[in-house]
Amino acid sequence: MRAEPTCPRCAGPLSAPGLWSSDWSCGVHGAVLPRQPSKRPGPEGLAAVLRDTRVPVWTPWPLPPAWLIAGFCAVGDERSGARATAVALSGPGLTSGPADMVLIAEEPGIGLGGHYAGLEGDDPGPGFDGSPPDAKVDISGPAATCGHSVPMWAVGTRPDRAVYVGEAMGDWLWAVLWPAEAGVLMLERQNLLDLREPGMDLDLPYGAHSPRLDE
C-alpha cells in the first residue's frame, strides 16, 4: 500500500484537497503543505526530490568518514513544488556507536525542521540567535557565494538529539542529530553542498533507508 502524505509539523494524517477546499488540511494545524512519503536512498530518490524543489537540497561534501546518504524527503505537491527538503545521513558517531543526521532546508512557516527538532512551533523562536553562534558551516551551490559561511545556533529541545539552526540563502537550515552526543560532529566545520548544482556528477555513497525521515 502506498504511504499517504502527512503533516510536516506533527506527522499526523491529512485531509486531501476536495470539493470545498483546495488545501491539504491537518486536524491540529489546519492548512499545510503535505510532507510526502520519504524516498529511498539512491539516484532515483534524489532525482525525485530535485525535480521540483524550490529550496536547497543540502548534504555535507565530502561526507564525514564512513557516513552514507540514507534517504530524502520533501514537503509540497505538484502545485506548490517542494518548499522543504530533508536529507538523511547515517554513520559512526565521533564518541560512540552509530549516529543519524537529517539536514533540512525550508521556507519560513513550513514546520518540517521544527518537527524533526522536537519543537512545538514551526521555527526556533525569537532570540535563538542572540548569542555567538555555536557552530558554522560553509555552503556552496548554484545560488551560494563560494566560501559563504553560515552561523548555526544550538536549540535546546529533547535530550535524545542535538539541534542546530541557521539561515542560508533566505531559507531555514536545520541540522538534527541523534543521539545528542553526535552533535559534536557540527563542531568540526562542515561544507554543505546544494545538490541542485547543475552539471554535478557526484558519486554519492548510499546506505540503508533511515526511519528518521518518517518519524
Side-chain angles (χ1 to χ4, degrees):
M1 181 181 295
R2 183 181 183 277
E4 296 296 328
T6 55
C7 176
R9 299 183 183 181
C10 68
L14 296 179
S15 297
L19 182 62
W20 304 110
S21 174
S22 60
D23 296 322
W24 292 86
S25 181
C26 169
V28 177
H29 296 104
V32 296
L33 290 175
R35 180 179 72 162
Q36 300 296 334
S38 62
K39 306 296 183 184
R40 308 290 297 185
E44 291 183 359
L46 174 59
V49 171
L50 292 176
R51 190 172 299 124
D52 62 354
T53 185
R54 302 190 184 186
V55 297
V57 181
W58 295 117
T59 185
W61 194 256
L63 295 182
W67 279 66
L68 302 170
I69 303 288
F72 310 94
C73 185
V75 175
D77 58 20
E78 64 278 1
R79 299 173 302 166
S80 67
R83 302 301 183 93
T85 63
V87 178
L89 304 101
S90 60
L94 296 183
T95 53
S96 64
D100 298 299
M101 174 165 61
V102 176
L103 288 170
I104 302 103
E106 64 178 350
E107 294 181 358
I110 300 298
L112 185 66
H115 169 66
Y116 286 131
L119 298 177
E120 293 295 329
D122 57 22
D123 61 43
F128 79 95
D129 56 354
S131 61
D134 298 290
K136 289 185 178 181
V137 298
D138 297 318
I139 63 171
S140 57
T145 303
C146 290
H148 182 53
S149 175
V150 175
M152 304 279 284
W153 285 266
V155 180
T157 56
R158 300 180 182 176
D160 66 332
R161 70 199 70 182
V163 179
Y164 293 85
V165 62
E167 184 180 339
M169 295 157 52
D171 297 307
W172 289 118
L173 167 60
W174 302 77
V176 185
L177 301 100
W178 296 263
E181 293 77 13
V184 299
L185 184 69
M186 296 298 294
L187 303 182
E188 295 190 352
R189 192 151 176 168
Q190 303 291 327
N191 181 73
L192 302 187
L193 179 66
D194 182 358
L195 292 174
R196 297 178 299 171
E197 173 108 25
M200 287 193 309
D201 188 22
L202 296 179
D203 185 18
L204 294 173
Y206 295 104
H209 179 255
S210 172
R212 298 288 185 189
L213 287 172
D214 294 315
E215 291 182 351

